Amino acid sequence: MYTEKSVSPWEGEDLPGERRPKHNVSDDSPEPMVEAEPFTTYFDEKIPIPEDETHSWFSFRKLWAFTGPGFLMSIAYLDPGNIESDLQSGSVAGFKLLWVLLTATIIGLLLQRLAARLGVVTGLHLAEMCNRQYPKVPRIILWLMVELAIIGSDMQEVIGSAIALNLLSAGVIPLWGGVLITIIDTFFFLFLDKYGLRKLEAFFGFLITIMAVTFGYEYVRVSPNQGELLKGMFFPYCKGCGSPQLEQAVGIVGAVIMPHNMYLHSALVKSRDINRSNKKEIREANKYYFIESSIALFISFLINVFVVAVFAEAFYGKTNQEVFYECLNTSSPQSDLFPNNTDPLKVDIFKGGVVLGCFFGAPALYIWAVGILAAGQSSTMTGTYSGQFVMEGFLNLKWSRFARVFLTRSIAITPTLLVAIFQDVEHLTGMNDFLNVLQSLQLPFALIPVLTFTSLPSVMSEFANGLGWKIAGGILILIVCSINIYFVVVYVSALGHIAYYVGAAVLSVAYLCFVAYLTWLCLVALGLSFLQCGRTYNLGLTGCPELFLLHNMENENSASPR
C-alpha cells in the first residue's frame, strides 16, 4: 500500500474481476489512500515531480526528478554478455565494427522510447498490457518466452560474476564457489530498495560508475589509436571482413537489444508521480524520460567503446602463440589457456582478463575483474526486477521478492553450477553463445507487442505512433529480428548433427507460426484494417472499456494537485 498522489487512471470505472481502488475521502485526509491497487510494482513509493514555473521548456530540477529509470534500463546494455561481445568484436575485427555498436545503441534507444511512452501514457507496463489485450493461450506463451529470456540473461550474469570472483581471488574461489556466492549477494543487494527508491537508483549509478572507471582505466592504459576509433565509429565499412566478422556484427546487435528490457523500462517509468489525466504532464514526462534515456545509453555506449577499443588496439591480429609466449614470459599461471599455434586469438571475459594481465600487468587484470563483477551484479538485480514485473503483469501473481529470486535464481544456477563443477572455464564461458541465441529468439515477443500497443489510438489517444513512427518502428523491428534469426541459423548450422537440425526444424515451425500471429495483430494495429477479423476487432480495447482511455482527459491546462 502506498499513498497515491496522482489521479487514479481508472477512477470511476470498475475493472472486471478486480477490486477497484477505494479512496479515503474524509475532510481531514489531504490525499487519497489506495487500499488495493491491481498490479502494484516493486516500488512502494512514487517520486514527486517538482514544479518549476521559471523554466517552462526545460528544467534541470525536473530532469533530475525523472532521472533513474533510464539508467536502470541501460544496465542491460552493460551486462557480461555485452562486455564479452565487445571484447570479441575488438579482437576479431579491430575498430571496424564500432559503427554497428553505435547503430544498435541508437536503434535500442528508439525502441526503449516506445516502451517508456507506453508506461507513461497508459499507466500500465508492457506485461500488463499483454495480459489485457491478448487471448489466454497467446498470453501464456508470451509469458513463457519472456521468462526464458530472463533466465538466459540471469545465467549470463551468474557466469560473469563467478568468473570475476575467480579472477579477483587468483583462482582461490573456484568457479562453482563464485556461482554459489552470487545467490547470497543477490538477496543482499535486492533488499536495498527498502531504504528508498532514490537510494536504490543511486546504488545502480554507483555500479555504472565503477564500470566506467575500471574499463576507462583499461582504455587509458592501452591508449588506442583515436583516428582509427573515430573512423570505425562513423564510417560504415568493414574492409577485408569475412564470415567471422559478419557473425560478430550480428552478435553485437543480439547482445545490445534485449527482450526483457522492454518490459523492465515500461514498468520503471511508473515510479514517478505523473497525473495521467493531464496531457501536459504526459508530454513533459515523455520528453524528460527520452532525454534521460539518451544520456544513460550514451554513457553505456562509451563504456562499451572502451572495451572494444582496448581489445582492438592490443589484441586484433594477435595469434595464440604470441599470447602464449607473452603469458609464459610473465609467469602467468593461465598461459596454458592459449594453445601454442598460429590460429587467431579467441577471447572471452575470462581470457580477456588473463591477456590484459599478461600484456599490461596484474593491475589491469584485477581492475578488469572488478568491472565485470559490477556488470554482473547490477544486471542481476535489474533482471530480477524484470522477472517480477513480467510475472505480476502476465499472471496477476504477486510473489514475495524472496520467492521470485529463489525461483529464477535456482533455475539459472542449476545448469550453470553443474557446468562449473564438472567442466572447465572454457565450457562455462561457451554457454554464452547458446544463451545469446536463446535471447535472440525471444526478441520478437517484446518488440512486436510494444509496437502494436503504442500504435493504437484507443490505447494511446493522441500519443499513439504517427505514420512515420509506425513505418520506422516496423522496419527497425524487421531488421533487428531478421539479424537475430540469422544469428540463430548460423549457430544451429555449426552444431553439425542431424538430430539438432530436425529438432530445430520442428521448433521453427511452431515459433514462426506464433510470430506470424503476433505480426498479424501488429499489422492490424498499424492500420491495415483489411486484415481485421474475429478477435482483432477487440484489439485496442474497441470492445473492452475496462482500461482507462485518454479520450476524456481533463483540459490540457488544468492543474493537477500534487
Side-chain angles (χ1 to χ4, degrees), residues 170-196:
V172 173
I173 299 176
L175 290 172
W176 61 265
V179 171
L180 292 176
I181 289 173
T182 60
I183 304 175
I184 301 170
D185 60 19
T186 299
F187 282 108
F188 171 75
F189 288 132
L190 281 173
F191 284 103
L192 287 175
D193 68 354
K194 291 296 182 183
Y195 294 97

Side-chain angles (χ1 to χ4, degrees), residues 472-533:
I475 292 173
L476 289 178
I477 290 173
L478 179 62
I479 292 173
V480 170
C481 291
S482 299
I483 288 173
N484 281 274
I485 293 300
Y486 172 80
F487 180 59
V488 173
V489 170
V490 169
Y491 177 82
V492 173
S493 61
L495 296 176
H497 196 287
I498 188 65
Y500 292 126
Y501 298 153
V502 173
V506 173
L507 291 175
S508 295
V509 173
Y511 174 84
L512 292 175
C513 286
F514 188 54
V515 171
Y517 170 78
L518 295 178
T519 304
W520 167 52
L521 296 182
C522 184
L523 291 174
V524 173
L526 292 176
L528 302 182
S529 56
F530 65 89
L531 296 174
Q532 186 168 310
C533 62

Side-chain angles (χ1 to χ4, degrees), residues 436-451:
N436 283 333
V437 168
L438 179 66
Q439 292 180 83
S440 296
L441 285 171
Q442 315 310 322
L443 204 52
F445 306 131
L447 300 187
I448 295 176
V450 79
L451 179 63

Side-chain angles (χ1 to χ4, degrees), residues 532-550:
Q532 186 168 310
C533 62
R535 293 233 4 138
T536 57
Y537 176 75
N538 290 331
L539 190 70
L541 311 175
T542 307
C544 305
E546 68 268 18
L547 247 184
F548 174 70
L549 304 185
L550 300 174

Side-chain angles (χ1 to χ4, degrees), residues 84 159 163 348 419 424-435 491:
E84 181 163 281
I159 292 169
I163 288 173
D348 48 47
V419 174
D424 54 18
V425 68
E426 297 263 0
H427 290 84
L428 191 62
T429 55
M431 290 177 65
N432 273 326
D433 291 335
F434 170 75
L435 296 174
Y491 177 82

Side-chain angles (χ1 to χ4, degrees), residues 14-19 396:
D14 286 327
L15 302 182
E18 296 173 350
R19 195 150 50 112
N396 194 16

Side-chain angles (χ1 to χ4, degrees), residues 23 59 184 201 207 300 478 553:
H23 300 281
S59 166
I184 301 170
E201 292 172 346
L207 292 177
S300 73
L478 179 62
M553 283 183 168

